[in-house]
Amino acid sequence: MLLSCGEDNPSTPGDGGPYPDDNVVCDIEYRDDAMIVESSALLTCDTVNPESAFDEKIINLTVDKELFGPPPMAGDVFFIKGYGTRKVISVDDHGSFMIIESEFAALTEAVKNANISWDFTPVIEEPGIINVEGVDHRPVRISTEGYEYSFEWGNNKYTLWFNPKGTSENGLPEMQVNFIVENKIDADGKVTATYGAKGTTRLPHISADIDIQDSELTGFTTNNSGYHSEFTLEYIATFSPGSEGTQILTMPNITLKVPLQSLTAIPIPIPIYINFGLGFQTYLNLPQVQAFCNAKVKMIMDSKTGFEFKGPSVGFNYKVGKKDLGDCTFEVGDLSLCPTGIEMKWEVLCPRIALNVMGQEVCWIAPIFGSRTKLIVPSLCKAQMTQVRLEGGYGFKIFGNSIAEGKKVFFNADKTYKSPECP
């Protein structure tokens, strides 16, 4: 079923190109009262990943005393290039090094004026880091066909496979994405489930502009052009007596991290990452009898999205092109004597594009594909709903503005089916 709205373009997907050559600008003027420190001065940090720790409330930093400079006083603000801004709580002098207890400080507490902008097309031929729940890993090349990464988390085993697929008509990179989640619990009295999705996604062309004047964020814009995702979702589950009948599969945050620094020869002291994420969650409720179910649906969506911040207000722009919600197949077995119903819900987010500055997610956009199915026994009412929607969120705490934060559903389209037995 092809859906369209009056303001949408229901023609071929397109990707908004052609796009200009990659370009990055970074002009920064620091405040006179801030201490500017080279990255080599930082020796250790009491967190697992220092690059993403500078938005935490309180952390201890061990610094080289000679490289850091004069010992700071309580309340002083310092900026470590490549990491971020901190405010001093206390200093413990150990001769050649210092341990600085520090708390969060906004970027604008160290920067007086700045213009940082970029306009580029992502490159995914050689993926670098995959971050799973805050821990960095490297994917393994399995053949010339692509990359694979497997891990266990909670009671589930996850396998991801992705393969660069070339480019679209106007040069945007595309890749095939397959992932499978398997419940590790044995079938004796438990729900066992396998969830998977396969398809292609096109990474959008990304542009942004950040302006700071007199230590205030005066402008922030970002645009993601040429989104296109096409996925088939499938869920297979079985159940045997002896359990409560509910299984929730959750996906850890999985992110491909692309540092802005890698796109230019210009040194960028502020750590900025473009994150390409993947995530999903499912819910399954099966009765306490021997039963199985299988659901499958294919969905497509094209879009262009963006944010604009001026003063305390945030504006949004989006455009949705082709939207296709396929028919959902839903099969259930061995439920003839069951007095209760069966219900399944699942959603996949891919790709989830986020801008991360100094360890904090400033804004994110994600096309979300979802499906819900429900069978009510003994009436045998069967209801199904498939949905595509665009969601995004933002928060500018890192720029000293804690008022402007929130979440928005840009677009939503769904298709519902009910059998004649349903009320």
Side-chain angles (χ1 to χ4, degrees), residues 72-116:
M73 304 291 291
D76 286 349
V77 172
F78 62 94
F79 178 83
I80 299 182
K81 294 181 179 180
Y83 292 96
T85 310
R86 302 295 294 178
K87 184 176 292 184
V88 176
I89 298 175
S90 64
V91 178
D92 192 2
D93 196 323
H94 290 266
S96 62
F97 65 91
M98 298 180 292
I99 299 177
I100 302 176
E101 184 183 19
S102 64
E103 62 183 349
F104 170 82
L107 179 63
T108 47
E109 294 184 67
V111 172
K112 181 179 180 181
N113 300 301
N115 175 250
I116 305 171

Side-chain angles (χ1 to χ4, degrees), residues 26-30 79 110-116 267-270:
C26 182
D27 294 323
I28 299 175
E29 178 188 354
Y30 298 103
F79 178 83
V111 172
K112 181 179 180 181
N113 300 301
N115 175 250
I116 305 171
I268 301 178
I270 301 171

Side-chain angles (χ1 to χ4, degrees), residues 215-263:
S215 297
E216 289 188 7
L217 179 67
T218 55
F220 175 92
T221 60
T222 180
N223 285 286
N224 300 288
S225 304
Y227 261 121
H228 176 77
S229 291
E230 181 173 331
F231 283 98
T232 297
L233 283 65
E234 186 168 13
Y235 199 8
I236 303 171
T238 61
F239 184 80
S240 58
S243 181
E244 296 179 359
T246 300
Q247 173 68 29
I248 300 176
L249 297 180
T250 57
M251 187 76 163
N253 295 321
I254 297 177
T255 305
L256 298 174
K257 299 170 60 178
V258 178
L260 187 61
Q261 179 72 49
S262 68
L263 304 173

Side-chain angles (χ1 to χ4, degrees), residues 269-314:
I270 301 171
I272 298 175
Y273 287 88
I274 311 299
N275 294 343
F276 302 95
L278 168 70
F280 70 85
Q281 60 181 9
T282 69
Y283 170 85
L284 171 67
N285 183 24
L286 281 170
Q288 295 187 22
V289 297
Q290 186 69 38
F292 77 88
C293 63
N294 182 1
K296 185 175 182 179
V297 65
K298 179 177 180 178
M299 293 174 284
I300 302 173
M301 184 166 66
D302 298 321
S303 63
K304 174 182 178 180
T305 58
F307 289 102
E308 182 176 16
F309 169 83
K310 287 185 177 180
S313 62
V314 179

Side-chain angles (χ1 to χ4, degrees), residues 17-259:
Y19 296 105
D21 294 337
D22 292 350
N23 179 51
V24 178
V25 174
C26 182
D27 294 323
I28 299 175
E29 178 188 354
Y30 298 103
R31 289 174 51 139
D32 294 336
D33 56 352
M35 302 179 67
I36 310 304
V37 182
E38 297 296 328
S39 60
S40 56
L42 180 60
L43 300 177
T44 61
C45 178
D46 64 355
T47 59
V48 175
N49 189 357
E51 291 183 354
S52 61
F54 271 57
D55 66 333
E56 295 185 13
K57 187 174 182 180
I58 296 178
I59 56 175
N60 292 319
L61 306 175
T62 302
V63 299
D64 184 294
K65 190 174 179 180
E66 182 178 355
L67 296 177
F68 187 90
M73 304 291 291
D76 286 349
V77 172
F78 62 94
F79 178 83
I80 299 182
K81 294 181 179 180
Y83 292 96
T85 310
R86 302 295 294 178
K87 184 176 292 184
V88 176
I89 298 175
S90 64
V91 178
D92 192 2
D93 196 323
H94 290 266
S96 62
F97 65 91
M98 298 180 292
I99 299 177
I100 302 176
E101 184 183 19
S102 64
E103 62 183 349
F104 170 82
L107 179 63
T108 47
E109 294 184 67
V111 172
K112 181 179 180 181
N113 300 301
N115 175 250
I116 305 171
S117 63
W118 58 89
D119 196 310
F120 75 93
T121 298
V123 177
I124 57 171
E125 291 297 327
E126 292 291 338
I129 299 297
I130 291 182
N131 185 278
V132 181
E133 288 295 298
V135 180
D136 289 344
H137 303 270
R138 291 192 177 276
V140 177
R141 179 184 286 276
I142 54 175
S143 69
T144 57
E145 297 298 321
Y147 297 81
E148 183 177 87
Y149 180 59
S150 296
F151 63 96
E152 294 185 357
W153 191 69
N155 288 322
N156 304 311
K157 178 182 178 182
Y158 300 81
T159 302
L160 294 92
W161 177 83
F162 49 96
N163 178 38
K165 189 174 174 279
T167 58
S168 63
E169 180 180 352
N170 289 317
L172 289 184
E174 293 185 314
M175 64 178 175
Q176 294 172 295
V177 180
N178 293 1
F179 56 92
I180 296 175
V181 184
E182 300 169 275
N183 187 281
K184 297 188 302 179
I185 300 176
D186 293 336
D188 185 16
K190 300 290 185 181
V191 175
T192 60
T194 299
Y195 172 86
K198 61 181 179 179
T200 60
T201 186
R202 180 195 302 153
L203 299 184
H205 182 84
I206 299 172
S207 61
D209 189 90
I210 301 171
D211 281 303
I212 297 173
Q213 299 293 328
D214 294 326
S215 297
E216 289 188 7
L217 179 67
T218 55
F220 175 92
T221 60
T222 180
N223 285 286
N224 300 288
S225 304
Y227 261 121
H228 176 77
S229 291
E230 181 173 331
F231 283 98
T232 297
L233 283 65
E234 186 168 13
Y235 199 8
I236 303 171
T238 61
F239 184 80
S240 58
S243 181
E244 296 179 359
T246 300
Q247 173 68 29
I248 300 176
L249 297 180
T250 57
M251 187 76 163
N253 295 321
I254 297 177
T255 305
L256 298 174
K257 299 170 60 178
V258 178

Side-chain angles (χ1 to χ4, degrees), residues 336-351:
S336 57
L337 300 177
C338 179
T340 59
I342 179 172
E343 183 177 9
M344 295 169 39
K345 304 175 185 178
W346 72 95
E347 291 185 338
V348 59
L349 295 77
C350 186

